Amino acid sequence: MVKENELTSPSWITSKLEVIEKWARSRSFWPLPFGTACCAIEYMGVVSSHYDVARFGYEVVRFSPRQSDLLIVAGTITDKMAPVLRKIYEQMPDPKWVISMGACASSGGFYRAYHVVQGIDEIIPVDVYVPGCPPSPEGLIFGILQLKELIKRGRDRYSRKAEVSDG
Amino acid sequence: MDKKLPVWVRAQDNYAGKVELEHDVDIPTWIVDSSVSKELLSDLYREEKFDMLLDLCGVDYPGREKRFDVVYHLYSFSTGKRLRVKVPVSEDRCEVDSVVDIWKAADWFEREAYDMFGIKFKGHPALRRILTHEGFVGHPLRKDYDPGKRWQLEEDKIYKPVFLNLPPEEDSMFERMTINIGPSHPAMHGTFRLMAVLEGEVIVDSDVEIGYLHRCFEKMAETHPWQQVVPYTDRLNYCSAFINNVAYCKTVEDMLGLELPPKAIWGRMVLMELSRIMDHCVCNGTTLVDVGALTNFWYFFEIREEIYSLLTKCFGSRLTVAGCRIGGFQHDLPPDFIDLCKHLLEIIPPLIEDIDKLVTHNRIWLDRSVGISAISGKEAINWGWTGPCLRASGVQFDLRKNEPYYWYDKVDFDIPVFYGGDVYDRYRVRMAEIKESLKIVRQLVEQGIPDGPYAVDDYHVMLPPKDMVYNQMESMIYHFKLIFEGMRVPPGERYGYLEGANGELGFYIVSDGSPNPYRIKVRPPCFPIFSTFSRLIRNQTVADAIITLGGLNIIAGELER
């Protein structure tokens, strides 16, 4: 039997599992910062006390790909680094998302050169591109929040892929 | 002038016909035949006490009979003299003797010259590519190499380590094991790869692989006009971008013979010292994080954030400021610049004080860092060390004092020197230098901003002010010419240097009078320092290797360019 006061102010809610799942996922990324260059210094700025990404719940930085679900590629990726990045991405368990931080990761930046990958989307899929060289910490936080919105609305790459495979 | 040098006279006697003096250059320059180059260089080392090889690089002149120049920059600690030695080689006999057994610093420099130009060094222990990957074909800094031509690295070609100094296996308690750390490892700062042979937890030999952030700075510089190279220099040592800007601009200004107005010099000095503080903050902060001391990292970054707010006010960006232009600044300094500096001078010292109290006498930090990867001053010089790391080994060498530029001879500051040569002393040198830099900034701020323009009014170099461009025909033409054709630098070459946050930051620039630089070689201070890494961590544990790397302050952007 349900007591009366529980009905008037319930300590439970009804929802779809899918919604709960998205709610939880989008609010607690465990980012793996694949920091190679200048952007990595700005990423340090994002996690340090002034900008404090912990306000949003994204501070559990994990350097092991097997423990993380958000790959933040911060910095230039060269042809020498490309196989490494690809491998790290493959080692991450699903669901996983990728943020390309900065001009170099997004497009090679102003290094139109013989040793620089012209955008990491040559080798791995990307969910959110954050412009800037390097992006300001606000920019990166905005990028992560965009990804959160995408996941919440089920418009991210992972959810759409699941939709397709479900038929 | 150079001919009066007894060293030159002796060289002429000993190597008659094989050595020539080049005229009208910034530092004494000898052109040496490749058949005697090694003999002469080892003479210079032994007899004339040129005990440091600052830089070694190649330059390509496709039209010449002897196509390549191998350029050595030498420095003597006893006399304070500099010398440039050029050894021309032809394309079909593209070989010079290696000088690794004279200066250990030559090891990686020669590998780089081989990688970039295909110049072979006879007698080098392991001449293989260093910056580009193993699947790369050709030599990218040759003039006939297309800047955009890329090669894919296939997995089976990835470098397998070769251990050159592996001691014979004795009856040890432990079985030998080879481990790989990095490049994607937080303790390797994301871009270095260390392969180590362990006995238990002790590293008996190791091999280091770099080049994971080789962004082709030098080739990009050759394909861009002079002023547009400035943003590229930001991304060399991105922890103290402004110092790189100044080092590049100062070298080109010297080539042009420009004299900067006092305001530009004053502003550059203040911002350079603040950048030095920022750089030391990152270095010490991350080193301490590597041993688990996270709290002070937030303190250090608080300092950086405060300085960022000043830089943003001046240049509009935080990290990669592109603050300088050849000829001064792009904009005037903000009107409240002095107030912002005063604010910084108020809030940074207590933060430093706090960190000092937290860490400097902390038992855990002392246990982890004292005596770790120590190196003597003499050995460090042979490896080509400069900057705070060298000063931690007891050598008092700082270009701000030894060869003062700008107004460094007019301000009062000390050069902190420590004698342990270990990780702890490298930390202490940096902490002390932060205080000295604050001292310099304080003096300059008390002096006040000098009046006058913030850049030279030479319109062959700097754009004329906008109101003049709109209202005067002549200024408009200057504007048009500068935008469309770019500035011209008279043909010649120069090695410009100043004290970067990591040590001597050198720019060897060759101009042929065209709108783009002909060749820019950066002498990154951490390149020779990092080449010592395998030697430093031998017979230490893996955990020691990690804090050694942190304490050396290796910045990938500058190391690999």
Side-chain angles (χ1 to χ4, degrees), chain B residues 98 110 123 126 181 221 287 355 478:
Chain B
S98 165
E110 286 180 353
I181 310 177
T287 313
I355 297 163
Y478 275 128

Side-chain angles (χ1 to χ4, degrees), chain B residues 247-305:
Chain B
Y248 168 71
C249 292
K250 185 171 169 290
T251 311
V252 181
E253 282 154 9
D254 289 344
M255 290 176 91
L256 287 161
L258 292 178
E259 193 141 324
L260 286 190
K263 193 177 195 174
I265 294 182
W266 184 91
R268 280 184 182 187
M269 274 180 72
V270 171
L271 290 165
M272 266 206 290
E273 291 312 312
L274 291 173
S275 301
R276 198 181 311 278
I277 294 171
M278 276 172 37
D279 194 282
H280 290 343
C281 285
V282 174
C283 174
N284 278 351
T286 50
T287 313
L288 290 163
V289 168
D290 286 347
V291 295
L294 196 65
T295 314
N296 52 73
F297 181 74
W298 313 131
Y299 286 49
F300 274 125
F301 259 74
E302 203 48 47
I303 300 176
R304 279 184 70 96
E305 288 296 341

Side-chain angles (χ1 to χ4, degrees), chain A residues 44-64:
Chain A
M44 289 183 207
V46 173
V47 291
S48 67
S49 43
H50 196 90
Y51 287 94
D52 195 14
V53 78
R55 290 178 292 160
F56 306 97
Y58 308 137
E59 81 280 16
V60 192
V61 174
R62 283 290 175 270
F63 285 100
S64 163

